[in-house]
Amino acid sequence: MLLAAVAVAASGLSRLRFDTDILSMLPGELPEVRGLKAHHQAFAREDEAILLVEGSGDTSPSDAAQSLAKALEKDGVVKRARWQPRWEEDPQGLSELLAYLWLNGDPAATRALSESLAPGNSQAAMEKVVENLATTIEGQDLAMQAHDPFGFLGHPAVTQILSSSSEGGAAFASADGSSHLVFIDAPGEVHGYRESNEWIAKIRGTVARWEASEEGRGFKVGITGEPVFSSEIGMAMEKDLSGSIGLTLTLIGILFWWMQRRLMLLGGLVVVLCLVFAVALGIAGWMYGELSIMALSSAEILIGLATDYGLVICQEAKVAGHNRKALFSASAKPVLCGALTTAVVFLALNLGGLPGMAQLGSIVAYGLVAAGVLMIVFYLPWVAKFGVNRAPAEDEPKWLPHRRKSWMITGGLVAAALAVLAIFGAPGIVFDSNIIRPRNSSALASFERMQEKFPAGDPRQLRVVIEAPDDATMLARLAEAEKRLAQGREEGVLLESAMPQGWWPDPARQQENKGLVLALAKEGPRLLKEADEVGFSEEGSALGKQVFGFLEKAGTESNFYPQSPAAREIMRLFMDRKDSGGGLALGSLLPARDVDPDTAGYPRLRALNGDGIWLSGWSLFKPAIAGLVKDDMARMLLPMGVLLIGMMAFIFRRFRDVGFALFAMLVSTVAMLAIMRLCGLQWNFINLMATPLLLGTGIDYAIHVTLTLKRTGMCFKELWNGTGKALLFCGASNVIGFGSLIFSSSDALVSLGQVAVIGILLSMTVSIFLLPGWHARGKEGA
């Protein structure tokens, strides 16, 4: 059995990977989550980071950004640092994109351009441009028309480029001129948070040296982007895991030594705990392969719960003696029954819709089963051998109130809790996406600062993500999305919407436009001559000259598609196309006020989802998760309650015992709600999942107490010196296990730890100090 456990642990651990994406904690089948994941997958690159240069010095932020970009490239820490759009460095890329858009766009628009540049019309059209240049006061219009005598920049899709300039591709300087962006590419592929951390550390070193230099004086640089988030989350996760597990083991070791005073018993317990944890993660490696950051909190939880069984064995040995058979008779059934019932509760988390919580539940459940078996098979003989000659436990059970006093304390506790809830109300429920984001994140702070400096329009704006396996399906879904959005505007669901029409390659349109673009290309020499005659310089006609060249190429090639990095950079604002076809496209919409995610009309907006078309936006998180949690609680609690009652009936074989165990759970729950309200704690979609966990631990304690009372004939002294003291230590170890989550870098895990600590302390107190008195009868209950 030992060899099998080691083999399972070793082989599974070799397959295990950690997922630092916070979206992996959310259910992928939800349309809102699917949209967020698709958006993140396509438009957040793991090999690209963003620097935000702010401040004022001897130079402008633009010049400072250029200087920083050169310093990064000189140090070799980046493959490329872009402080301005690629098309400004490579105008041919913009020309190639324009030729593609006219070839691939609406034939009516291409036909209208062709007619405006036809002989007899072209000179008048260019003279009109010159007239507009003399009267316009808009800087952007002036710059565009001064380099576009032929109207190529008037393509409808170009409007989308300009309206999306703050998304990270077309504009690098903020509107107020105080900030500038620098996009940096990794020198090689970046895989995982460790490689991201190494790369980001090198970048920070160069940035620190640049800020201390003459050129960087007065400027502050923030860094954000996918690899920065991955690095922060991954390293924090690693620190949390190593630090909290070490702290948990240390504190549990101190408590164990204080109670048992035997290093051999402590050493044996640590070995079994490490084996249990390795087996649990090994099974997880075989089952999942990749674990979310939420599931990693199972380490502290499992250690705290598994320690319980070792303590019960050690403490029972003081009462039952160190004969193996006697010790087995006293502790095997409570340990195995407790492990099984608690494992069932944790497995019930798989009935919910949160993948991270399902992984956590599975790891803890399998670990508890392994802990129950390994403690009985290996640790029990160890205790029997090395725990001899300890002083027997003979303390009087003065801390255990008997029947009348127990019921009086219970009545006072319940009355006080109900009074608090009646006066102040029950704890509120919040569904905020910030709960799953990292705490004290410099990447998040820089990202939010970047959003302030480069606002993307109305904060209520949402994205529309279209995914398809091939180009034909994408075109069909783009048409369907446009149809849905148009219907939404008609029905008052949407105020406005925009889809990337004309960007995805459309063979039918290209075939229809080929003749027109070839004709335009042949007219190039004539049109360039006319532009010169109306007053456009060679520089002003340069863009048009390049477009004519690409139009000729577009009209003769089959499957023409932009290849230049400058063109691809702009296209990436709206689409992510695979070389084999298919991929993701990105649109936007603005919902009406009465169908916002925070309103009752949200289902009308949600109905736009489906068949590869998904809405995306963090504001959608609240309604999606709120509905999911409500469904989850019904899906989990009902079958869990049936299972627990059935298992307790099987174990106790008496309705009275089952009723007292359920009543203990009810008293603990009411008291916990009151304490949460007094402490200002609120429910969220993560700590709500602590409810089944607390049910499991509460029932576990009740099983130990009830079985001991039945075995000892209601002997309070033996209960207190054996199971009672063991459960006190168990409660303390569980509090340490869950309490270590309070130091986590994730607010989600912090909230889970806070609620769990309160619930465990109450469950332990009620089971040890009140439950025995409820069972007492006759003289024992006096």
Side-chain angles (χ1 to χ4, degrees):
M1 187 181 293
L2 182 62
L3 291 175
V6 172
V8 168
S11 58
L13 287 171
S14 66
R15 296 165 50 88
L16 198 59
R17 300 291 182 271
F18 298 130
D19 185 2
T20 60
D21 184 3
I22 58 177
L23 293 175
S24 66
M25 296 192 299
L26 305 178
E29 68 273 9
L30 280 179
E32 296 84 353
V33 175
R34 192 161 181 177
L36 279 170
K37 286 185 175 181
H39 190 186
H40 182 264
Q41 171 190 344
F43 303 101
R45 290 170 47 192
E46 62 180 12
D47 61 348
E48 180 186 75
I50 308 171
L51 303 179
L52 177 64
V53 182
E54 292 186 279
S56 59
D58 297 334
T59 59
S60 66
S62 177
D63 292 337
Q66 183 179 9
S67 169
L68 176 58
K70 291 179 179 178
L72 290 165
E73 290 180 345
K74 182 180 179 182
D75 285 357
V77 297
V78 300
K79 180 180 180 180
R80 184 183 299 105
R82 293 173 284 120
W83 62 277
Q84 63 180 355
R86 275 181 174 156
W87 58 265
E88 290 190 12
E89 302 173 358
D90 178 19
Q92 282 196 349
L94 178 60
S95 304
E96 183 186 27
L97 177 61
L98 289 171
Y100 167 76
L101 291 173
W102 286 107
L103 172 71
N104 197 66
D106 185 356
T110 306
R111 193 174 298 109
L113 176 69
S114 180
E115 291 174 359
S116 70
L117 296 179
N121 297 332
S122 55
Q123 187 165 355
M126 283 185 269
E127 287 175 350
K128 186 176 181 180
V129 173
V130 173
E131 182 181 343
N132 289 339
L133 284 172
T135 57
T136 187
I137 58 175
E138 293 290 338
Q140 182 172 275
D141 291 343
L142 184 66
M144 289 175 60
Q145 293 186 24
H147 293 84
D148 186 31
F150 313 113
F152 289 132
L153 291 172
H155 192 282
V158 175
T159 305
Q160 290 181 291
I161 301 175
L162 300 175
S163 64
S164 300
S165 61
S166 63
E167 294 292 327
F172 286 54
S174 62
D176 61 5
S178 64
S179 306
H180 204 92
L181 297 178
V182 179
F183 289 79
I184 54 177
D185 298 327
E189 292 187 357
V190 177
H191 300 293
Y193 67 90
R194 286 182 174 275
E195 289 188 17
S196 295
N197 185 63
E198 292 175 3
W199 179 45
I200 298 303
K202 294 177 182 178
I203 294 170
R204 294 189 191 277
T206 297
V207 168
R209 289 190 292 274
W210 177 83
E211 287 177 335
S213 68
E214 190 69 30
E215 293 176 320
R217 190 164 300 155
F219 292 98
K220 189 69 177 176
V221 180
I223 181 168
T224 188
E226 178 62 19
V228 193
F229 279 109
S230 175
S231 168
E232 285 190 349
I233 295 172
M235 297 310 294
M237 170 191 70
E238 201 173 90
K239 182 180 179 182
D240 288 348
L241 195 60
S242 58
S244 59
I245 289 178
L247 177 63
T248 301
L249 286 173
T250 300
L251 293 178
I252 289 176
I254 292 172
L255 279 173
F256 187 93
W257 170 254
W258 178 68
M259 288 192 68
Q260 303 300 325
R261 304 297 176 95
R262 288 292 175 89
L263 286 177
M264 289 300 292
L265 295 184
L266 176 59
L269 180 65
V270 171
V271 170
V272 174
L273 286 178
C274 290
L275 183 58
V276 166
F277 185 52
V279 168
L281 284 185
I283 294 175
W286 280 106
M287 289 182 59
Y288 302 111
E290 192 170 59
L291 291 182
S292 72
I293 55 175
M294 175 62 65
L296 290 175
S297 62
S298 61
E300 295 90 340
I301 298 171
L302 181 56
I303 289 173
L305 291 173
T307 304
D308 296 359
Y309 309 135
L311 240 297
V312 168
I313 294 171
C314 287
Q315 198 64 28
E316 288 292 350
K318 286 186 176 183
V319 178
H322 291 80
N323 178 273
R324 286 194 186 187
K325 290 184 178 180
L327 185 54
F328 182 87
S329 176
S331 57
K333 186 176 180 180
V335 167
L336 294 177
C337 289
L340 186 59
T341 52
T342 311
V344 167
V345 172
F346 275 91
L347 280 176
L349 292 177
N350 284 273
L351 299 175
L354 296 173
M357 293 301 294
Q359 289 182 353
L360 181 150
S362 295
I363 294 172
V364 175
Y366 299 135
L368 288 178
V369 173
V373 173
L374 293 173
M375 288 293 180
I376 295 299
V377 174
F378 295 115
Y379 193 59
L380 187 149
W382 186 272
V383 173
K385 181 176 181 179
F386 294 104
V388 295
N389 299 325
R390 288 182 298 163
E394 297 290 344
D395 295 339
E396 292 298 323
K398 57 183 179 180
W399 299 106
L400 301 184
H402 285 214
R403 185 179 181 186
R404 187 177 295 113
K405 185 179 292 185
S406 175
W407 283 111
M408 289 176 61
I409 295 173
T410 302
L413 176 63
V414 172
L418 291 176
V420 169
L421 295 176
I423 296 172
F424 300 104
I429 302 178
V430 293
F431 297 99
D432 191 346
S433 62
N434 289 327
I435 195 71
I436 62 175
R437 296 181 179 180
R439 306 169 75 191
N440 305 319
S441 169
S442 61
L444 182 60
S446 298
F447 178 74
E448 291 174 342
R449 182 63 176 166
M450 188 177 74
Q451 285 185 314
E452 291 178 15
K453 290 296 183 178
F454 296 84
D458 195 313
R460 294 171 51 246
Q461 187 181 67
L462 301 173
R463 294 297 180 189
V464 185
V465 182
I466 301 97
E467 58 180 354
D470 53 65
D471 288 342
T473 306
M474 176 60 77
L475 292 172
R477 288 181 177 175
L478 283 169
E480 173 62 22
E482 189 63 62
K483 180 181 176 182
R484 291 186 196 178
L485 296 180
Q487 185 177 352
R489 292 193 299 270
E490 291 176 5
E491 295 175 352
V493 176
L494 305 179
L495 297 178
E496 59 184 57
S497 62
M499 293 300 299
Q501 295 292 345
W503 290 84
W504 207 273
D506 188 336
R509 282 188 171 185
Q510 290 190 16
Q511 188 63 36
E512 188 174 349
N513 286 328
K514 268 190 176 183
L516 294 172
V517 299
L518 271 175
L520 275 174
K522 290 179 181 179
E523 293 290 331
R526 176 184 64 80
L527 292 170
L528 289 169
K529 183 178 179 182
E530 288 182 3
D532 181 62
E533 291 173 355
V534 299
F536 280 92
S537 65
E538 185 175 343
E539 181 184 355
S541 301
L543 176 66
K545 185 177 181 180
Q546 292 175 353
V547 173
F548 285 128
F550 280 110
L551 285 174
E552 183 176 4
K553 182 179 179 182
T556 55
E557 283 188 3
S558 59
N559 303 320
F560 178 75
Y561 192 74
Q563 300 298 322
S564 70
R568 292 287 183 93
E569 180 184 85
I570 297 175
M571 296 178 77
R572 187 177 153 228
L573 297 172
F574 308 102
M575 56 190 290
D576 179 46
R577 181 175 179 264
K578 302 174 185 176
D579 293 337
S580 58
L584 295 156
L586 185 67
S588 62
L589 60 83
L590 186 64
R593 293 284 181 182
D594 60 341
V595 297
D596 259 353
D598 291 328
T599 67
Y602 172 66
R604 296 171 62 202
L605 179 64
R606 196 173 194 251
L608 297 174
N609 287 296
D611 299 326
I613 302 169
W614 314 107
L615 302 186
S616 172
W618 283 106
S619 61
L620 303 177
F621 181 90
K622 178 179 178 179
I625 296 300
L628 175 71
V629 168
K630 291 176 183 176
D631 293 341
D632 277 1
M633 297 307 288
R635 280 198 300 259
M636 287 190 298
L637 292 182
L638 182 60
M640 186 188 304
V642 172
L643 279 172
L644 285 177
I645 292 174
M647 293 182 68
M648 285 191 293
F650 176 77
I651 294 170
F652 296 146
R653 307 292 177 90
R654 195 163 60 174
F655 177 78
R656 183 172 180 267
D657 294 340
V658 175
F660 279 147
L662 294 176
F663 184 62
M665 193 166 54
L666 178 63
V667 171
S668 302
T669 302
V670 173
M672 182 183 71
L673 292 175
I675 293 175
M676 285 181 63
R677 190 65 181 87
L678 291 175
C679 295
L681 299 176
Q682 292 182 304
W683 292 109
N684 57 60
F685 78 100
I686 295 297
N687 61 27
L688 267 173
M689 296 301 104
T691 305
L693 311 186
L694 298 177
L695 295 180
T697 54
I699 292 298
D700 190 23
Y701 295 147
I703 287 174
H704 282 290
V705 170
T706 304
L707 289 178
T708 301
L709 287 173
K710 293 176 70 173
R711 178 175 56 83
T712 61
M714 295 297 299
C715 178
F716 277 29
K717 182 175 182 179
E718 192 168 341
L719 168 68
W720 172 246
N721 288 300
T723 301
K725 290 183 178 180
L727 291 186
L728 274 176
F729 178 88
C730 293
S733 66
N734 286 332
V735 165
I736 292 171
F738 281 98
S740 63
L741 298 179
I742 296 175
F743 303 101
S744 171
S745 59
S746 167
D747 283 327
L749 296 182
V750 170
S751 69
L752 176 62
Q754 291 171 331
V755 173
V757 165
I758 295 172
I760 288 171
L761 285 174
L762 287 169
S763 297
M764 176 193 69
T765 302
V766 171
S767 294
I768 297 174
F769 296 100
L770 299 180
L771 180 59
W774 302 344
H775 281 279
R777 290 178 177 179
K779 293 181 179 179
E780 292 100 338

